[in-house]
Structure formats: C-alpha cells, structure tokens
C-alpha cells in the first residue's frame, strides 16, 4: 500500500511539477517557432531562430517544456545537446519545400540513429498544408524514407500558422509521453 501510494504521489507530482520536455526539430523555415507561438496563443511574425526558445506550457492535462531549436544547417549539430533530456520529439517539415523533403528525412534519420537519442515518441508534422502544391503527409513520409522505426511515431498534416490539425496529434504525443518514459 505504501509503495502504491508513493508511486501515485510521484506520478501526480511529476505531472504537475516536473514538466517533461518536448524537443522540436526540423529544417530552417519549417514552422517550429510558429508552432511554439501558436501553442502559447501568440500571433506574431517569426525570425530565424539562432539559439533556441524554451517555454513551459499546459497541453491538456500535462505541463510540458517545449524546446524550439534552430534549423539552420550549420547549427543542427546543436540539437544533440538536448537529446538526453527529451521525452518526445516533434519534427516539423515544410511540405511545400519539395526540394528539401529528402534533406529533412536525412536529418530526421540522423536524430533517430543518434546514440544519445532516447526511446521516446516521435510526432512528424507535415506542415504548410495550406499551400496548394504541398506534399501530402503520405508523400512527405515517402520522401523522408522513414522505415522500421520501433519508437511510437505518427505523422499529421498541419497548418501551424492557423493551428489547423495540431491539437489531436499533440494530445496523442502527450498520452504517449506519459506511457513511455518517466
Ligand atoms: N503558409 C504557411 N506558412 C507557415 C506555416 N507555418 C509556418 N509558416 C511560416 O513559415 C515561416 C517560417 O516559420 P518559423 O516558425 O520561423 O520557422 P522555423 O522552423 O522556426 O525556422 P528556423 O528558426 O530558421 O529554424 C514563417 O514565415 C511562418 O509564418 C503554415 O502552416 N503555413
Ligand atoms: Mg525558429
């Protein structure tokens, strides 16, 4: 009984006071900072991120820390500094940037194969679906060549700029986070 109480206490305490970290990666211009702003209910123009932005947010029942990284090619190596702390990955892809979907896939594979990247759920946002020539989520996945991934993962089409399509996949992610890693 004592142990059960202790575990329940730790779980509830952890949910309220120890926010888990969602790492947001993706190429430059994909929509990562826009996503962070949207989750805070902020509407403002973004500029390319040079370091990172971190915010603690309420997503449904969970308090999470969202870590928005810099997608510029020369700075992508810095993503790995945060792998050890990540409880989930959101990988944002510009579905309208057809020429760089392959590159987006290469960078995602590097993350997933990195020795320090933990066994955490992965949500891929095929963003900018509002563009008439945007690749569909299925086309994005084919273009990125994601295969045999054993972690829980999911792809969703989004328009981060308006918030369209983000709620349900993020709810899935939060549920996965509280099931997989403490
Ligand atoms: N049309 C459209 N534009 C979007 C969408 N999401 C983001 N954008 C735009 O894409 C541009 C880049 O967005 P950011 O959020 O700054 O991109 P980022 O991934 O943070 O880029 P870096 O900080 O350089 O890594 C901005 O002009 C956004 O307004 C979307 O769903 N549709
Ligand atoms: Mg940014």
């Amino acid at each position: 009984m004592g142990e059960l109480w202790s575990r329940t206490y730790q779980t509830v305490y952890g949910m309220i006071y120890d926010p888990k970290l969602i790492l947001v990666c993706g190429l430059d211009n994909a929509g990562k900072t826009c996503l962070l702003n949207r989750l805070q209910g902020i509407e403002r123009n973004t500029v390319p991120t040079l370091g990172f932005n971190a915010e603690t947010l309420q997503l449904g029942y969970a308090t999470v820390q969202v870590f928005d990284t810099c997608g510029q090619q020369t700075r992508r190596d810095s993503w790995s500094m945060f792998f050890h702390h990540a409880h989930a990955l959101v990988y944002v892809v510009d579905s309208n940037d057809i020429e760089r979907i392959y590159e987006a896939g290469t960078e995602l594979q590097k993350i997933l194969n990195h020795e320090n990247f933990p066994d955490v759920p992965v949500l891929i946002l095929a963003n900018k679906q509002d563009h008439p020539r945007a690749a569909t989520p299925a086309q994005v996945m084919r273009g990125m060549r994601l295969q045999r991934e054993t972690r829980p993962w999911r792809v969703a089409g989004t328009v981060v700029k308006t918030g369209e399509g983000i709620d349900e996949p993020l709810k899935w992610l939060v549920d996965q986070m509280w099931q997989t890693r403490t």
Side-chain angles (χ1 to χ4, degrees), residues 27-34 46-49 69-71 127-128 130-131 159-161:
L27 303 189
D28 48 294
N29 202 48
K32 301 180 293 298
T33 305
C34 205
T46 56
V47 292
T49 306
T69 59
C70 164
N127 191 33
K128 306 199 186 182
D130 53 320
H131 281 288
V159 184
V160 161
K161 207 171 171 176

Side-chain angles (χ1 to χ4, degrees), residues 55 69 102 109 113 117 128 136 171:
E55 296 293 340
T69 59
Y102 189 92
Q109 310 266 0
N113 295 331
F117 188 71
K128 306 199 186 182
T136 63
K171 182 183 176 308

